[in-house]
């Protein structure tokens, strides 16, 4: 993706970016101590308003069979925001922290270093809030099943039909203060 401009705001908080006509743009505003905001599919001539709220953080604690799960790969993606997810690995204590986050619902994925499988949790993060995502990534627990076409009853495969299956915890989304 090509960057079209990068400008500081003026004393009254206003900004102006050069923008090509007829091209959908993604515009992001950031400020120290505040969560960034991003607007998608905006166009030259649009008038934008960003409201930046205090930044929050998500702390992931991964354990395996009761012990810290070091080097687990953690990804965070905010609902409704395009782009690559935030990605990091847990430390020797099975912990990693993502700071400077905007309020919203985040999908947190944690995959042990041995790649056995991913564990997923959705969290709601309030402005300036902190949420803890505990993951117990014990091996040997799994759900099994098949995916069939409704009309024919034919089994569907990823190779033939692009099928994938994703599990998540049922119940309400966890909330943070």
């Amino acid at each position: 993706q090509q960057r079209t401009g990068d400008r500081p705001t003026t004393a009254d908080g206003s900004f102006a970016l050069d923008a090509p006509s007829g091209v959908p743009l993604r515009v992001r505003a950031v400020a120290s101590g505040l969560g960034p905001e991003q607007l998608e599919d905006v166009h030259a001539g649009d008038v934008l308003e960003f409201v930046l709220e205090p930044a929050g953080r998500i702390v992931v604690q991964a354990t395996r069979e009761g012990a810290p799960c070091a080097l687990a790969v953690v990804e965070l993606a905010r609902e409704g925001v395009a782009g690559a997810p935030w990605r990091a690995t847990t430390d020797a204590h099975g912990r990693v922290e993502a700071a400077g986050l905007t309020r919203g619902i985040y999908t947190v994925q944690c995959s042990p270093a041995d790649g056995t499988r991913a564990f997923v949790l959705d969290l709601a993060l309030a402005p300036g809030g902190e949420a803890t995502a505990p993951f117990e990534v014990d091996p040997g627990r799994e759900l099994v099943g098949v995916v069939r076409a409704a009309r024919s009853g034919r089994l569907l495969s990823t190779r033939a039909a692009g099928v994938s299956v994703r599990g998540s915890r049922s119940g309400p989304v966890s909330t943070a203060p």
Side-chain angles (χ1 to χ4, degrees), residues 90-124:
T90 57
D91 63 15
H93 305 288
R95 187 178 185 281
V96 67
E97 178 181 312
L101 301 175
T102 302
R103 53 110 184 96
I105 296 177
Y106 285 83
T107 297
V108 184
Q109 179 173 302
C110 182
S111 304
D114 64 12
T116 50
R117 69 175 177 272
F119 296 80
V120 180
L121 174 66
D122 288 333
L123 291 173

Tab-separated table of all heavy atoms in Angstrom, residues 90-124:
chain	number	residue	atom	x	y	z
A	90	THR	N	5.396	-14.891	23.562
A	90	THR	CA	5.446	-14.808	25.021
A	90	THR	C	6.885	-14.965	25.509
A	90	THR	O	7.708	-15.613	24.859
A	90	THR	CB	4.557	-15.888	25.674
A	90	THR	OG1	4.971	-17.175	25.224
A	90	THR	CG2	3.085	-15.666	25.354
A	91	ASP	N	7.155	-14.374	26.657
A	91	ASP	CA	8.485	-14.462	27.250
A	91	ASP	C	8.641	-15.775	28.025
A	91	ASP	O	7.768	-16.645	27.966
A	91	ASP	CB	8.757	-13.240	28.131
A	91	ASP	CG	7.806	-13.122	29.319
A	91	ASP	OD1	7.107	-14.102	29.664
A	91	ASP	OD2	7.755	-12.022	29.908
A	92	ALA	N	9.725	-15.902	28.755
A	92	ALA	CA	10.004	-17.128	29.517
A	92	ALA	C	8.933	-17.411	30.570
A	92	ALA	O	8.777	-18.544	31.015
A	92	ALA	CB	11.376	-17.019	30.182
A	93	HIS	N	8.175	-16.381	30.950
A	93	HIS	CA	7.110	-16.537	31.941
A	93	HIS	C	5.747	-16.762	31.286
A	93	HIS	O	4.710	-16.721	31.955
A	93	HIS	CB	7.055	-15.306	32.847
A	93	HIS	CG	8.363	-15.005	33.503
A	93	HIS	ND1	8.896	-15.767	34.512
A	93	HIS	CD2	9.274	-14.026	33.247
A	93	HIS	CE1	10.067	-15.277	34.868
A	93	HIS	NE2	10.320	-14.229	34.117
A	94	GLY	N	5.732	-16.942	29.950
A	94	GLY	CA	4.477	-17.167	29.226
A	94	GLY	C	3.637	-15.902	29.092
A	94	GLY	O	2.442	-15.971	28.881
A	95	ARG	N	4.270	-14.740	29.171
A	95	ARG	CA	3.540	-13.470	29.213
A	95	ARG	C	3.959	-12.563	28.062
A	95	ARG	O	5.118	-12.530	27.662
A	95	ARG	CB	3.850	-12.790	30.541
A	95	ARG	CG	3.063	-11.550	30.834
A	95	ARG	CD	3.449	-11.017	32.234
A	95	ARG	NE	2.648	-9.897	32.613
A	95	ARG	CZ	2.819	-8.656	32.192
A	95	ARG	NH1	3.786	-8.375	31.352
A	95	ARG	NH2	2.029	-7.689	32.611
A	96	VAL	N	3.005	-11.814	27.550
A	96	VAL	CA	3.282	-10.755	26.587
A	96	VAL	C	2.211	-9.682	26.772
A	96	VAL	O	1.085	-9.987	27.164
A	96	VAL	CB	3.318	-11.282	25.131
A	96	VAL	CG1	1.957	-11.744	24.674
A	96	VAL	CG2	3.882	-10.247	24.183
A	97	GLU	N	2.595	-8.447	26.529
A	97	GLU	CA	1.667	-7.329	26.715
A	97	GLU	C	1.597	-6.487	25.454
A	97	GLU	O	2.620	-6.151	24.866
A	97	GLU	CB	2.146	-6.465	27.875
A	97	GLU	CG	1.286	-5.253	28.122
A	97	GLU	CD	1.818	-4.402	29.263
A	97	GLU	OE1	2.130	-4.948	30.325
A	97	GLU	OE2	1.900	-3.169	29.073
A	98	ALA	N	0.385	-6.168	25.046
A	98	ALA	CA	0.157	-5.247	23.933
A	98	ALA	C	-0.378	-3.961	24.533
A	98	ALA	O	-1.446	-3.963	25.151
A	98	ALA	CB	-0.845	-5.840	22.946
A	99	ALA	N	0.364	-2.882	24.393
A	99	ALA	CA	-0.038	-1.589	24.971
A	99	ALA	C	-0.359	-0.599	23.861
A	99	ALA	O	-0.068	-0.838	22.692
A	99	ALA	CB	1.081	-1.061	25.866
A	100	GLY	N	-0.971	0.521	24.238
A	100	GLY	CA	-1.298	1.566	23.285
A	100	GLY	C	-2.478	1.213	22.402
A	100	GLY	O	-2.575	1.669	21.272
A	101	LEU	N	-3.395	0.405	22.924
A	101	LEU	CA	-4.517	-0.091	22.135
A	101	LEU	C	-5.754	0.803	22.240
A	101	LEU	O	-6.033	1.376	23.287
A	101	LEU	CB	-4.901	-1.502	22.579
A	101	LEU	CG	-3.804	-2.561	22.471
A	101	LEU	CD1	-4.293	-3.872	23.048
A	101	LEU	CD2	-3.359	-2.726	21.036
A	102	THR	N	-6.493	0.857	21.159
A	102	THR	CA	-7.753	1.571	21.101
A	102	THR	C	-8.859	0.683	21.647
A	102	THR	O	-8.821	-0.531	21.485
A	102	THR	CB	-8.062	1.918	19.626
A	102	THR	OG1	-6.984	2.697	19.125
A	102	THR	CG2	-9.348	2.690	19.485
A	103	ARG	N	-9.859	1.295	22.255
A	103	ARG	CA	-10.996	0.533	22.758
A	103	ARG	C	-11.616	-0.263	21.617
A	103	ARG	O	-11.515	0.111	20.442
A	103	ARG	CB	-12.033	1.449	23.397
A	103	ARG	CG	-12.465	2.595	22.489
A	103	ARG	CD	-13.858	2.490	21.967
A	103	ARG	NE	-14.160	3.570	21.042
A	103	ARG	CZ	-14.056	3.443	19.725
A	103	ARG	NH1	-13.625	2.342	19.203
A	103	ARG	NH2	-14.381	4.436	18.942
A	104	GLY	N	-12.231	-1.390	21.950
A	104	GLY	CA	-12.876	-2.202	20.924
A	104	GLY	C	-12.890	-3.664	21.314
A	104	GLY	O	-12.457	-4.042	22.398
A	105	ILE	N	-13.381	-4.474	20.405
A	105	ILE	CA	-13.381	-5.919	20.619
A	105	ILE	C	-12.196	-6.497	19.869
A	105	ILE	O	-12.011	-6.247	18.676
A	105	ILE	CB	-14.703	-6.553	20.161
A	105	ILE	CG1	-15.840	-6.018	21.034
A	105	ILE	CG2	-14.624	-8.075	20.236
A	105	ILE	CD1	-17.206	-6.513	20.655
A	106	TYR	N	-11.378	-7.250	20.592
A	106	TYR	CA	-10.169	-7.843	20.035
A	106	TYR	C	-10.299	-9.359	20.031
A	106	TYR	O	-10.754	-9.956	21.012
A	106	TYR	CB	-8.942	-7.466	20.873
A	106	TYR	CG	-8.501	-6.046	20.670
A	106	TYR	CD1	-9.113	-5.009	21.356
A	106	TYR	CD2	-7.479	-5.741	19.773
A	106	TYR	CE1	-8.719	-3.690	21.167
A	106	TYR	CE2	-7.089	-4.419	19.580
A	106	TYR	CZ	-7.708	-3.412	20.277
A	106	TYR	OH	-7.319	-2.113	20.084
A	107	THR	N	-9.871	-9.961	18.940
A	107	THR	CA	-9.715	-11.404	18.882
A	107	THR	C	-8.261	-11.674	19.213
A	107	THR	O	-7.358	-11.154	18.552
A	107	THR	CB	-10.074	-11.961	17.493
A	107	THR	OG1	-11.454	-11.680	17.251
A	107	THR	CG2	-9.850	-13.462	17.430
A	108	VAL	N	-8.051	-12.456	20.272
A	108	VAL	CA	-6.705	-12.782	20.728
A	108	VAL	C	-6.476	-14.251	20.396
A	108	VAL	O	-7.261	-15.108	20.789
A	108	VAL	CB	-6.558	-12.567	22.253
A	108	VAL	CG1	-5.127	-12.820	22.699
A	108	VAL	CG2	-7.017	-11.163	22.642
A	109	GLN	N	-5.410	-14.516	19.671
A	109	GLN	CA	-5.074	-15.891	19.312
A	109	GLN	C	-3.725	-16.236	19.904
A	109	GLN	O	-2.793	-15.446	19.824
A	109	GLN	CB	-5.035	-16.047	17.795
A	109	GLN	CG	-4.665	-17.438	17.340
A	109	GLN	CD	-4.814	-17.595	15.846
A	109	GLN	OE1	-5.889	-17.393	15.308
A	109	GLN	NE2	-3.737	-17.947	15.177
A	110	CYS	N	-3.618	-17.417	20.505
A	110	CYS	CA	-2.376	-17.860	21.138
A	110	CYS	C	-2.049	-19.261	20.621
A	110	CYS	O	-2.865	-20.174	20.752
A	110	CYS	CB	-2.551	-17.871	22.657
A	110	CYS	SG	-1.078	-18.351	23.563
A	111	SER	N	-0.864	-19.413	20.029
A	111	SER	CA	-0.442	-20.696	19.467
A	111	SER	C	0.867	-21.121	20.114
A	111	SER	O	1.864	-20.396	20.027
A	111	SER	CB	-0.228	-20.586	17.960
A	111	SER	OG	-1.379	-20.113	17.322
A	112	PRO	N	0.893	-22.283	20.761
A	112	PRO	CA	2.141	-22.763	21.353
A	112	PRO	C	3.244	-22.882	20.299
A	112	PRO	O	2.960	-23.077	19.113
A	112	PRO	CB	1.779	-24.144	21.900
A	112	PRO	CG	0.295	-24.145	22.010
A	112	PRO	CD	-0.204	-23.216	20.952
A	113	ALA	N	4.497	-22.777	20.727
A	113	ALA	CA	5.632	-22.809	19.811
A	113	ALA	C	5.688	-24.099	18.995
A	113	ALA	O	6.174	-24.094	17.869
A	113	ALA	CB	6.932	-22.620	20.590
A	114	ASP	N	5.167	-25.195	19.537
A	114	ASP	CA	5.207	-26.454	18.787
A	114	ASP	C	4.124	-26.516	17.711
A	114	ASP	O	4.024	-27.497	16.973
A	114	ASP	CB	5.103	-27.661	19.716
A	114	ASP	CG	3.782	-27.740	20.470
A	114	ASP	OD1	2.829	-27.002	20.143
A	114	ASP	OD2	3.699	-28.564	21.400
A	115	GLY	N	3.309	-25.473	17.621
A	115	GLY	CA	2.318	-25.376	16.567
A	115	GLY	C	1.176	-26.365	16.639
A	115	GLY	O	0.496	-26.607	15.646
A	116	THR	N	0.935	-26.937	17.823
A	116	THR	CA	-0.112	-27.944	17.931
A	116	THR	C	-1.465	-27.413	17.494
A	116	THR	O	-2.185	-28.071	16.783
A	116	THR	CB	-0.220	-28.492	19.367
A	116	THR	OG1	-0.288	-27.401	20.280
A	116	THR	CG2	0.958	-29.376	19.697
A	117	ARG	N	-1.832	-26.228	17.933
A	117	ARG	CA	-3.066	-25.587	17.467
A	117	ARG	C	-3.185	-24.208	18.111
A	117	ARG	O	-2.483	-23.880	19.057
A	117	ARG	CB	-4.286	-26.424	17.782
A	117	ARG	CG	-4.633	-26.523	19.247
A	117	ARG	CD	-5.942	-27.288	19.397
A	117	ARG	NE	-6.280	-27.464	20.760
A	117	ARG	CZ	-5.885	-28.472	21.525
A	117	ARG	NH1	-5.109	-29.394	21.033
A	117	ARG	NH2	-6.263	-28.560	22.769
A	118	ALA	N	-4.101	-23.430	17.593
A	118	ALA	CA	-4.313	-22.080	18.108
A	118	ALA	C	-5.488	-22.073	19.077
A	118	ALA	O	-6.445	-22.824	18.914
A	118	ALA	CB	-4.588	-21.125	16.957
A	119	PHE	N	-5.407	-21.239	20.077
A	119	PHE	CA	-6.481	-21.017	21.035
A	119	PHE	C	-6.936	-19.581	20.842
A	119	PHE	O	-6.115	-18.678	20.714
A	119	PHE	CB	-5.977	-21.255	22.456
A	119	PHE	CG	-5.552	-22.677	22.690
A	119	PHE	CD1	-4.315	-23.136	22.271
A	119	PHE	CD2	-6.418	-23.567	23.308
A	119	PHE	CE1	-3.929	-24.448	22.473
A	119	PHE	CE2	-6.036	-24.874	23.510
A	119	PHE	CZ	-4.794	-25.325	23.094
A	120	VAL	N	-8.266	-19.350	20.815
A	120	VAL	CA	-8.797	-18.036	20.478
A	120	VAL	C	-9.744	-17.545	21.563
A	120	VAL	O	-10.508	-18.321	22.136
A	120	VAL	CB	-9.545	-18.091	19.122
A	120	VAL	CG1	-10.105	-16.732	18.753
A	120	VAL	CG2	-8.626	-18.600	18.023
A	121	LEU	N	-9.692	-16.248	21.835
A	121	LEU	CA	-10.537	-15.616	22.831
A	121	LEU	C	-10.887	-14.217	22.336
A	121	LEU	O	-10.041	-13.521	21.790
A	121	LEU	CB	-9.758	-15.514	24.157
A	121	LEU	CG	-10.367	-14.760	25.316
A	121	LEU	CD1	-11.624	-15.466	25.822
A	121	LEU	CD2	-9.351	-14.638	26.443
A	122	ASP	N	-12.142	-13.797	22.491
A	122	ASP	CA	-12.549	-12.437	22.167
A	122	ASP	C	-12.655	-11.638	23.455
A	122	ASP	O	-13.228	-12.116	24.434
A	122	ASP	CB	-13.895	-12.415	21.440
A	122	ASP	CG	-13.780	-12.930	20.017
A	122	ASP	OD1	-12.700	-12.829	19.418
A	122	ASP	OD2	-14.790	-13.432	19.515
A	123	LEU	N	-12.088	-10.428	23.448
A	123	LEU	CA	-12.103	-9.537	24.620
A	123	LEU	C	-12.613	-8.163	24.227
A	123	LEU	O	-12.285	-7.667	23.151
A	123	LEU	CB	-10.688	-9.352	25.175
A	123	LEU	CG	-10.008	-10.524	25.840
A	123	LEU	CD1	-8.560	-10.164	26.144
A	123	LEU	CD2	-10.725	-10.887	27.113
A	124	ALA	N	-13.377	-7.543	25.107
A	124	ALA	CA	-13.788	-6.149	24.914
A	124	ALA	C	-12.876	-5.280	25.763
A	124	ALA	O	-12.722	-5.522	26.960
A	124	ALA	CB	-15.246	-5.960	25.326
